[in-house]
Amino acid sequence: MDTLLDIENLWVKFPTRQGIFDAVRGVSFTLGRERLGIVGESGSGKSMTGRAILRLIRPPGMVEADHINLDGVDLLQKSEKAMREVRGERISMVMQDPKFSLNPVMTIGDQIIEAYRLHSTASKSEARTKALEMLEAVSIRNPERVMRAYPHEMSGGMGQRIMIAMMLIPNPEILIADEPTSALDVSVQRQVLDIMDKLVKERGMGLIFISHDLNLVADFCDRVLIMYAGRIVEVCDADKLHDAQHPYTRGLLNSLPRLDTPRDRLDVLTRDPAWSDTPSVSGRL
Amino acid sequence: MTMLSIEKLNVWFGTGRDRVDAVKAASFDVGAGESFGLVGESGSGKSTILRAITGLAPTWSGRITVDGRAIERTRPRAFYKQVQMVFQDPYASLHPRHSVDAVLGETLQLHGFKDIDARVVRLLDDVGLGQKFRFRYPHQLSGGQRQRVAIARALAPEPQLLLLDEPTSALDVSVQAEILNLLADLRQEHGLTYLMVSHDLSVVGHMCDRLAVMKDGEIVEIMNVAALRAMQATHPYSQHLLQASV
Ligand SMILES: Nc1ncnc2c1ncn2[C@@H]1O[C@H](COP(=O)(O)OP(=O)(O)OP(=O)(O)O)[C@@H](O)[C@H]1O
Ligand SMILES: Nc1ncnc2c1ncn2[C@@H]1O[C@H](COP(=O)(O)OP(=O)(O)OP(=O)(O)O)[C@@H](O)[C@H]1O
Ligand SMILES: [Mg+2]
Ligand SMILES: [Mg+2]
């Protein structure tokens, strides 16, 4: 499989009152034309890993790595201007906080049309038609109304779907989707996943799918990286996730509520300090 | 005893061609100490029902009764000691320039508590954050950590009715388990009543006694959890939703 992205020894560091906090501690992985899942508990460094690839860590936070190669070229060596092109054209990211990423004082329609015209020579009316199509593709009811609406007038799940539609406009080589479907009901979620799936299968896009939904990742992705305290503790094929061996992964699986087996209390993780001391497992292929 | 009663609630936004009838003639009751779930399609009006109860949806008709008192257009301060809401979006619901300590301290002060320091410590422990997060700002927290702060803030006034909008959808499964156990304990210890929106049917199955299924602004079915577990829905949309989630 061709390697689109190759990350070696990535660190993300934040200075805090208590000294330097390492949010990501030396992770390495590759991404091909595949659906790569990243799972792990809250605060384990999933979002920071995604943002670091695009060099979107705000100062005083710092990104360090041996390299972050996109098609063999190290993103860490690029100028900020060259990075902006990468962000706009080659790698898109759907942020975990959809409404924050939209402009609050501009209608949804104007935002999609503007984003679309930035990436094509389409006329305004062509862009409008395309925008409506995209909203329909993510199962938005009454897209005409939504085009005229502002972000705060959208429900949680509508905001997520609008962000996904926008991120797909530039036809990126890589999409980093951070909890892209966490607010969606199962049937709408299926439709959104189908769109991403098609892009991977038909256009050879690489997808990094960050999620805490283990069942979803097991079902949807090809490979999974399991993160704990800024490191990768286990890597497995997604369809083998339910047989994962690491006690942390087992603990995550056991804490899920299940419709068919009601329980009074859910199991919670008992964390073993050894988990965070063990060196990161490599996610390279 | 009924803690919350919703009768023929309509909520709408906008006018003319931009009018949205977000909630149409919704009716349901939640007993004191009960946990009631709201599930359904994205955009079907679940959050809007919670917002109407707390006074965040300006245009509505129908009747909302909390603990036997019908809600007027403006709600007295005492209402917010009794009813608290955890918002769907943990990013938008915390003030960016207020530290965790400030958020919790101000809420406690507003509701007239005196032992603020001790309470802040306890709230942070209750939601599993601990003291090292006390002086952080929202941008220094992950999504799940922010949601725990939002839950701590809602618990601060010791409300009787808690409106929970996707309280764990931003959380990983282990923190979700901690929060759901915490919510279950609090409900038992303090006899709290929950109205909880979630798109995760297994979470609703675990937490709730009964649930309403919504589609396009309407409640299409009210069922109990035994029926949910047995996959016995009567309305075609609820059947579809149940089928899609296995
Ligand atoms: N500006 C900052 N200063 C200090 N620590 C930070 C800062 N930003 C993030 N962190 C910490 O970095 C760690 C990793 O955060 P990250 O957002 O990557 O978590 P995550 O795995 O995406 O979690 P979630 O599932 O809750 O979104 C967290 O413990 C967080 O508190
Ligand atoms: N302030 C507003 N102005 C205009 N329309 C609004 C406003 N708030 C909500 N709506 C509309 O009301 C409808 C219901 O929204 P609501 O947020 O209640 O959905 P929801 O069931 O919570 O969905 P989700 O699961 O995606 O969060 C949507 O069509 C939404 O666009
Ligand atoms: Mg995150
Ligand atoms: Mg909602």
Side-chain angles (χ1 to χ4, degrees):
Chain A
M1 185 162 49
D2 4 328
T3 302
L4 295 172
L5 197 63
D6 180 329
I7 294 159
E8 184 69 35
N9 194 23
L10 173 70
W11 290 74
V12 177
K13 305 180 176 186
F14 292 101
T16 69
R17 287 189 183 203
Q18 291 95 6
I20 298 277
F21 174 74
D22 298 320
V24 179
R25 301 187 295 153
V27 306
S28 303
F29 61 93
T30 53
L31 172 74
R33 302 184 188 284
E34 61 177 328
R35 298 160 297 189
L36 177 69
I38 301 183
V39 300
E41 64 176 353
S42 183
S44 58
K46 305 180 298 292
S47 298
M48 291 306 147
T49 300
R51 298 180 71 107
I53 295 170
L54 283 169
R55 288 180 31 201
L56 285 173
I57 306 286
R58 283 185 216 98
M62 291 167 285
V63 182
E64 288 165 17
D66 293 355
H67 60 246
I68 301 178
N69 284 353
L70 173 66
D71 277 338
V73 180
D74 190 356
L75 296 180
L76 290 174
Q77 306 303 326
K78 285 191 187 275
S79 67
E80 185 48 40
K81 181 160 169 282
M83 252 340 266
R84 274 201 291 277
E85 268 156 38
V86 171
R87 284 181 208 129
E89 304 281 340
R90 306 187 59 192
I91 309 181
S92 283
M93 180 161 180
V94 180
M95 300 287 178
Q96 194 171 359
D97 42 354
K99 285 192 192 166
F100 256 31
S101 325
L102 291 168
N103 181 344
V105 296
M106 198 170 163
T107 64
I108 308 281
D110 285 348
Q111 293 187 57
I112 305 183
I113 289 170
E114 189 181 278
Y116 186 68
R117 295 190 72 199
L118 217 63
H119 294 282
S120 75
T121 52
S123 71
K124 194 133 189 212
S125 76
E126 283 164 354
R128 215 188 108 74
T129 312
K130 186 76 191 166
L132 279 169
E133 268 173 40
M134 290 188 354
L135 290 176
E136 264 163 34
V138 291
S139 315
I140 296 276
R141 277 169 186 270
N142 197 350
E144 292 276 359
R145 192 261 302 182
V146 167
M147 291 279 281
R148 293 188 296 268
Y150 290 89
H152 76 273
E153 299 173 334
M154 298 294 101
S155 79
M158 290 162 81
Q160 260 184 349
R161 286 178 278 160
I162 290 161
M163 279 314 295
I164 292 167
M166 298 221 356
M167 287 306 124
L168 296 173
I169 289 172
N171 196 3
E173 291 156 61
I174 294 172
L175 177 66
I176 302 172
D178 194 355
E179 304 278 6
T181 63
S182 63
L184 301 180
D185 64 275
V186 276
S187 68
V188 171
Q189 178 178 69
R190 193 73 258 168
Q191 286 150 13
V192 169
L193 294 178
D194 284 346
I195 296 175
M196 293 193 223
D197 198 41
K198 238 184 171 155
L199 293 170
V200 175
K201 294 224 172 84
E202 291 173 8
R203 294 202 211 137
M205 184 181 82
L207 174 67
I208 296 180
F209 190 85
I210 299 173
S211 173
H212 58 265
D213 188 333
L214 296 163
N215 289 326
L216 177 68
V217 168
D219 196 41
F220 176 67
C221 292
D222 300 303
R223 280 195 305 146
V224 190
L225 313 177
I226 298 132
M227 287 191 73
Y228 180 75
R231 286 189 175 153
I232 300 175
V233 294
E234 191 168 13
V235 178
C236 68
D237 286 338
D239 53 5
K240 307 265 169 19
L241 184 61
H242 287 279
D243 310 319
Q245 290 308 312
H246 197 285
Y248 169 62
T249 320
R250 297 255 32 110
L252 289 179
L253 288 165
N254 289 337
S255 54
L256 288 168
R258 296 179 56 106
L259 262 188
D260 50 359
T261 40
R263 292 182 279 180
D264 270 354
R265 296 189 73 74
L266 298 168
D267 293 346
V268 297
L269 272 179
T270 343
R271 294 168 180 78
D272 183 340
W275 297 348
S276 62
D277 295 340
T278 320
S280 210
V281 176
S282 169
R284 339 185 104 242
L285 265 191
Chain B
M1 239 217 17
T2 307
M3 184 68 202
L4 171 71
S5 168
I6 306 282
E7 287 164 72
K8 297 228 159 31
L9 176 69
N10 297 297
V11 185
W12 62 96
F13 299 101
T15 51
R17 62 176 187 168
D18 284 326
R19 175 170 166 134
V20 187
D21 289 291
V23 179
K24 299 176 231 172
S27 299
F28 62 91
D29 284 341
V30 185
E34 192 185 11
S35 176
F36 190 91
L38 274 182
V39 305
E41 201 177 36
S42 169
S44 61
K46 306 180 294 295
S47 299
T48 302
I49 289 187
L50 303 198
R51 297 171 72 86
I53 298 169
T54 49
L56 293 168
T59 45
W60 58 277
S61 68
R63 203 175 149 81
I64 304 175
T65 319
V66 174
D67 203 12
R69 271 191 305 273
I71 282 180
E72 308 288 329
R73 295 291 128 172
T74 55
R75 290 156 182 73
R77 163 86 52 88
F79 174 85
Y80 293 102
K81 185 152 164 52
Q82 194 176 27
V83 183
Q84 280 286 315
M85 175 157 169
V86 174
F87 292 88
Q88 182 167 10
D89 187 351
Y91 289 91
S93 66
L94 295 178
H95 192 290
R97 280 187 298 280
H98 290 186
S99 69
V100 172
D101 182 68
V103 167
L104 298 179
E106 277 161 20
T107 308
L108 287 164
Q109 202 153 29
L110 191 73
H111 289 283
F113 291 100
K114 294 282 174 280
D115 48 344
I116 288 175
D117 200 61
R119 280 177 183 267
V120 169
V121 170
R122 211 181 57 232
L123 284 167
L124 286 174
D125 283 339
D126 279 349
V127 294
L129 275 178
Q131 301 315 303
K132 75 174 188 217
F133 290 95
R134 182 164 175 184
F135 296 100
R136 289 219 192 165
Y137 289 85
H139 75 272
Q140 298 170 321
L141 302 172
S142 78
Q145 290 160 349
R146 285 181 218 210
Q147 188 64 330
R148 285 189 267 181
V149 175
I151 292 173
R153 179 181 56 188
L155 292 173
E158 302 184 331
Q160 289 169 279
L161 172 61
L162 206 51
L163 310 174
L164 300 156
D165 197 352
E166 303 273 8
T168 60
S169 74
L171 302 178
D172 71 276
V173 291
S174 66
V175 180
Q176 167 171 289
E178 285 165 22
I179 297 281
L180 294 182
N181 285 342
L182 168 74
L183 289 171
D185 290 346
L186 289 167
R187 183 176 151 216
Q188 201 165 32
E189 282 162 29
H190 304 282
L192 300 185
T193 307
Y194 294 155
L195 175 58
M196 174 169 175
V197 175
S198 175
H199 65 273
D200 186 332
L201 293 182
S202 47
V203 166
V204 170
H206 178 73
M207 287 296 289
C208 300
D209 311 305
R210 293 185 303 139
L211 60 140
V213 181
M214 291 192 72
K215 180 173 190 288
D216 204 10
E218 291 177 47
I219 293 183
V220 297
E221 181 164 2
I222 292 179
M223 59 201 291
N224 62 33
V225 159
L228 174 72
R229 289 224 173 82
M231 309 274 295
Q232 281 164 348
T234 51
H235 189 277
Y237 177 71
S238 346
Q239 287 170 346
H240 168 72
L241 201 64
L242 280 178
Q243 239 110 56
S245 59
V246 285

